[in-house]
Amino acid sequence: MAMATTRNLSFYSPFLVLPTTTIAASPAMFQSNPNTSISIRALLTTPPASISHSHSQILNIPTKTNQLLYLEHSKHTQREPPRWFSPLDSFSSSRLPNSPLLLYLPGIGGSGLGLSLHHPRLGEMFDIWCLHIPATDRTPFPELVKLVESTVKSEHCQSPERPIYLVGQSFGACLALSVAARNPEIDILLVLANSATCFNGSQFHPLIPLLEAMPKELGASLHDMLNLITGMATQQRDTGLSEALVAMFSDLPGLAEVLSVETLVWKLKLLDSACSYTNSRLHAVKAQTLILSSGKDQLLPSRQEGQRLHRLLPKSDIRIFEDSGHVLFMEQDHDLVTTLKGTSFYRRTRNVDYVLDYLPPTPYEFQKARESHRFVEAAFSPVMLSTLENGKIVRGLSGIPSKDEGPVLFVGYHMMLGLELAPLIARIFSERGILVRGVAHPMIFKKQKQGGRLPDISQYDTYRLMGAVPVSPTNLFKLFKTNSHILLYPGGMREALHRKGEEYQLFWPDQSEFVRMAAMFGAKIIPFGVVGEDDIGELIFDYEDQMKIPYLRQFIQELTDEAVQLRSNVEGEVANQDVHFPVMRPKLPGRFYYLFGNPIETQGRQQELRNKDKAHELYVEVKSEVERCLSYLKEKRRNDPYRSILSRLVYQLTHGPESEIPTFEP
């Protein structure tokens, strides 16, 4: 329905129209003229270009602004029934094509503005509608479910191929789960933040009969009640209850001044109803679900509830934010878009497309990702070398093709546990502005079995954020077609989990798996080698050792059974490998050395490389170049006076911590 036709809508109409009333901005809000007047609509639709690209500044702007917005918004909608509004309709021109619909379902405060910190970025990825439930509204929970369900069915009918996201905070999570349970045939994705399905176990539940018994003649406001409970709690040296009450309405600041205790009673009873209704239907929820749980929620036992829901919901994934409180989406350090990207939870069609649905990291996201692996760069001081077109080896990355010269395929050696990955991706992105899309094992994208033996896939969020895709011919084809820079390890898991004495040995399949596809798109192939594993640790307990112990042999079998099976039709060393965790003895850290070898052109050789024999010759050439890079680095690093971490520390103490540490002459 067009926005121009939504001014006089009934209860079940899709939208309400926000007023254009202006409010005075304080100096604390904008550090500008205190007489400035701003429009609510203007505030809600401020495009990202008008806001600083600094993530922290974006998140700091709305804190006090939202309090005024909520108050003004609520004044005009107190007597309205629950309705939808679109806070960022002006973003339609910058929105991605075929963007999915996102329906935001608010917490018990009901304002619908709980995602306002995230609107600018979400508005580029989604068509956003927010549900507003006025504080004085008395619609029962089942009727609210029907309201949301009606909208979901209507939108699904109009665009059956478009996914519908239900993002629910607390009470809104109950709404989202209930709608999904009633509509398993619709492509619904759930994002649940601190679900109120555990309300019956919260400290608020026993308050309902107590508050109901209060004489109505007292006429106390919610603000008075908060003061009373705070005073009682202070005397008892227990502020948990009063803090939890404040948290309950923290998505609707200021309304505690005007709402009555009667309203609080209704809200608590509504939560109780939502909890009971939803829990009785959890078994019917089949939707793909992302559970977000806070570790310091004072209102609900959200951490435990998130884990319970994760066990009960078959298609769920969970992320726990240990230092966050109840209203997760209103916290300045939380970014919902980054979470969606890191968990690969954003898609625009029936199934996620890891190539076409991918959104590159922002500068802020890259810095955060790099910081999480900063210790690797700090400890091992990577040396990057590349080869110019004339064959000269130089320090730095000037020899690799620019981001406009794609497609490019980096083919190299996989060190133990992929220790070389973080510095490689980070340096190429920071120094050349090139995002290298790594082709990775599928087990870092999806856990086949809940409660299984494999590590939690949340530890791989950074890899997904930085563009990793599951290895498959289809994904590789799409990466080439989109002129991407691609990172491929033909040795795969066998190389990354090698045995004692096998460091720097290539375990590549006999077939030229990638050469003909690279030639089909005229891609440049960049062979590379990296050494340094033997300088940072010694493998002391490998696969052969572990298979001699019955308990570990069974453990390895369980891990392997959980993992996605790859190369099941291949024989020999590179066939589907058993998953295990090798044990290394740390050494005094040495240094990592990378060499990107001579670029190998396939442009103009498409016809020639269709021949299997010719393709295999090129495959052997690539493999030989990788081995040459490894040999070169192992030989030349002997001449590096700063190979030891002690000599590097002395250099940095003398020249400053940010100074570039020298190495051997290429």
Side-chain angles (χ1 to χ4, degrees):
M1 182 179 295
M3 292 295 294
T5 64
T6 60
R7 295 195 175 276
N8 297 300
L9 300 175
S10 64
F11 180 83
Y12 287 103
S13 296
F15 290 104
L16 66 86
V17 176
L18 293 179
T20 55
T21 308
T22 58
I23 53 179
S26 69
M29 286 163 53
F30 297 106
Q31 298 180 350
S32 61
N33 190 333
N35 297 320
T36 301
S37 185
I38 52 178
S39 162
I40 291 180
R41 171 69 73 179
L43 277 171
L44 290 176
T45 58
T46 303
S50 65
I51 303 176
S52 167
H53 288 289
S54 166
H55 184 80
S56 59
Q57 289 178 335
I58 290 176
L59 293 180
N60 283 332
I61 288 174
T63 306
K64 291 188 177 181
T65 308
N66 282 337
Q67 296 181 12
L68 297 179
L69 283 174
Y70 291 162
L71 285 173
E72 191 67 23
H73 178 49
S74 63
K75 287 179 185 177
H76 291 268
T77 55
Q78 283 303 306
R79 295 180 177 85
E80 298 285 350
R83 295 187 186 179
W84 300 102
F85 67 91
S86 180
L88 295 175
D89 56 291
S90 65
F91 269 57
S92 58
S93 61
S94 61
R95 190 178 300 137
L96 291 171
N98 304 317
S99 294
L101 175 65
L102 186 153
L103 301 179
Y104 173 64
L105 308 177
I108 199 62
S111 71
L113 289 168
L115 279 183
S116 56
L117 288 174
H118 311 270
H119 283 162
R121 296 191 66 201
L122 286 173
E124 298 176 354
M125 303 162 56
F126 295 98
D127 180 10
I128 306 175
W129 297 4
C130 303
L131 181 64
H132 173 77
I133 306 173
T136 55
D137 178 72
R138 295 295 184 266
T139 304
F141 183 74
E143 292 303 312
L144 291 174
V145 172
K146 290 178 182 178
L147 166 63
V148 179
E149 181 182 45
S150 174
T151 301
V152 168
K153 287 183 174 180
S154 173
E155 290 303 308
H156 174 68
C157 184
Q158 293 183 44
S159 305
E161 298 302 317
R162 181 169 76 153
I164 298 176
Y165 282 71
L166 300 183
V167 179
Q169 163 73 43
S170 184
F171 171 76
C174 292
L175 274 175
L177 284 165
S178 297
V179 172
R182 291 164 59 99
N183 298 275
E185 74 286 353
I186 297 179
D187 187 14
I188 295 175
L189 293 91
L190 305 179
V191 180
L192 313 176
N194 299 326
S195 174
T197 44
C198 59
F199 177 73
N200 53 10
S202 77
Q203 55 188 326
F204 275 120
H205 199 259
L207 280 180
I208 298 176
L210 176 64
L211 293 173
E212 281 186 302
M214 289 188 62
K216 292 189 172 107
E217 290 78 10
L218 288 179
S221 70
L222 183 56
H223 182 265
D224 297 330
M225 178 56 64
L226 288 173
N227 286 336
L228 175 62
I229 293 178
T230 302
M232 294 169 59
T234 301
Q235 291 179 3
Q236 298 174 10
R237 297 184 179 181
D238 179 13
T239 59
L241 187 59
S242 61
E243 289 175 353
L245 268 171
V246 172
M248 178 180 177
F249 281 92
S250 59
D251 71 330
L252 207 58
L255 284 190
E257 302 283 353
V258 296
L259 297 186
S260 64
V261 174
E262 180 184 0
T263 300
L264 175 59
V265 172
W266 165 257
K267 295 289 188 182
L268 293 177
K269 293 176 74 173
L270 187 62
L271 274 172
D272 193 30
S273 171
C275 176
S276 300
Y277 184 101
T278 307
N279 277 305
S280 67
R281 291 162 174 79
L282 285 179
H283 64 279
V285 177
K286 309 302 179 187
Q288 186 181 350
T289 306
L290 178 60
I291 301 165
L292 310 178
S293 296
S294 295
K296 295 182 178 178
D297 189 341
Q298 297 170 326
L299 177 58
L300 301 170
S302 293
R303 198 182 196 284
Q304 296 84 349
E305 181 63 7
Q307 293 170 336
R308 182 182 79 95
L309 291 175
H310 184 40
R311 290 192 298 270
L312 292 175
L313 302 178
K315 296 181 181 178
S316 66
D317 200 358
I318 186 172
R319 295 295 180 272
I320 298 174
F321 303 89
E322 296 289 357
D323 298 324
S324 295
H326 179 65
V327 192
L328 182 64
F329 295 143
M330 295 298 291
E331 296 193 359
Q332 296 182 358
D333 292 333
H334 179 74
D335 188 338
L336 178 57
V337 170
T338 301
T339 301
L340 295 177
K341 290 163 67 173
T343 53
S344 297
F345 206 74
Y346 180 71
R347 58 182 170 88
R348 289 177 281 174
T349 54
R350 176 67 62 173
N351 299 302
V352 63
D353 189 319
Y354 290 97
V355 177
L356 302 181
D357 287 335
Y358 176 71
L359 301 173
T362 64
Y364 175 81
E365 287 171 338
F366 169 69
Q367 287 302 324
K368 293 292 286 185
R370 191 174 191 180
E371 285 171 13
S372 66
H373 294 87
R374 180 68 76 176
F375 73 96
V376 177
E377 293 191 68
F380 308 137
S381 304
V383 175
M384 299 281 178
L385 305 171
S386 60
T387 307
L388 302 180
E389 290 185 2
N390 60 9
K392 181 180 179 181
I393 297 175
V394 295
R395 186 167 186 185
L397 298 171
S398 58
I400 68 173
S402 69
K403 61 182 179 181
D404 298 324
E405 295 182 63
V408 174
L409 181 65
F410 294 92
V411 182
Y413 167 72
H414 217 353
M415 282 208 300
M416 174 64 70
L417 301 174
L419 292 170
E420 80 288 348
L421 272 171
L424 185 152
I425 299 293
R427 286 287 185 91
I428 294 178
F429 188 80
S430 62
E431 295 182 19
R432 297 296 306 275
I434 298 170
L435 181 64
V436 177
R437 308 290 306 274
V439 180
H441 197 287
M443 70 180 182
I444 79 169
F445 294 86
K446 185 178 180 181
K447 199 167 185 179
Q448 299 294 100
K449 178 181 176 183
Q450 287 192 11
R453 299 281 198 166
L454 285 174
D456 191 335
I457 64 171
S458 63
Q459 64 180 285
Y460 304 116
D461 285 1
T462 298
Y463 293 92
R464 291 188 290 270
L465 182 67
M466 291 302 296
V469 301
V471 60
S472 75
T474 300
N475 286 335
L476 192 58
F477 181 90
K478 289 179 180 178
L479 288 171
F480 279 123
K481 189 174 182 179
T482 53
N483 292 327
S484 302
H485 284 60
I486 308 161
L487 175 62
L488 178 67
Y489 292 106
M493 188 182 294
R494 178 61 180 88
E495 215 163 75
L497 299 177
H498 55 250
R499 324 297 192 232
K500 294 176 185 175
E502 292 181 346
E503 58 271 6
Y504 311 131
Q505 293 184 32
L506 301 187
F507 294 93
W508 289 19
D510 293 331
Q511 298 88 348
S512 50
E513 295 178 317
F514 58 85
V515 169
R516 285 193 289 172
M517 190 177 292
M520 187 186 305
F521 293 92
K524 287 184 179 180
I525 300 176
I526 310 294
F528 73 91
V530 52
V531 302
E533 171 198 330
D534 55 334
D535 268 0
I536 66 170
E538 178 186 359
L539 183 58
I540 59 172
F541 198 51
D542 66 3
Y543 174 78
E544 305 294 347
D545 297 324
Q546 295 178 32
M547 289 295 286
K548 295 174 183 177
I549 302 173
Y551 170 76
L552 291 180
R553 185 165 60 246
Q554 180 182 351
F555 180 67
I556 290 172
Q557 186 60 51
E558 291 174 0
L559 288 176
T560 305
D561 290 344
E562 282 183 47
V564 176
Q565 303 297 301
L566 294 177
R567 291 175 170 167
S568 56
N569 59 342
V570 177
E571 297 180 356
E573 289 283 2
V574 295
N576 186 58
Q577 293 294 310
D578 290 345
V579 182
H580 66 285
F581 300 113
V583 179
M584 298 184 71
R585 179 194 297 129
K587 293 182 179 179
L588 195 64
R591 201 170 190 183
F592 282 179
Y593 302 87
Y594 298 74
L595 173 59
F596 296 92
N598 291 306
I600 298 175
E601 292 281 359
T602 65
Q603 184 66 44
R605 301 178 63 185
Q606 287 91 334
Q607 194 66 33
E608 172 193 353
L609 293 174
R610 287 182 181 177
N611 181 282
K612 288 186 178 181
D613 292 335
K614 292 294 184 182
H616 186 71
E617 288 178 11
L618 182 58
Y619 180 74
V620 172
E621 181 185 347
V622 173
K623 184 178 180 181
S624 298
E625 182 65 12
V626 172
E627 291 173 330
R628 186 193 68 80
C629 290
L630 291 171
S631 299
Y632 175 90
L633 292 173
K634 286 191 291 184
E635 177 67 28
K636 296 290 287 187
R637 68 176 174 174
R638 297 175 183 175
N639 302 322
D640 185 359
Y642 299 100
R643 182 175 172 182
S644 166
I645 191 173
L646 297 178
S647 59
R648 296 198 299 273
L649 287 173
V650 171
Y651 184 90
Q652 288 184 320
L653 287 172
T654 306
H655 297 81
E658 301 300 322
S659 57
E660 184 178 15
I661 301 173
T663 187
F664 57 81
E665 284 294 323

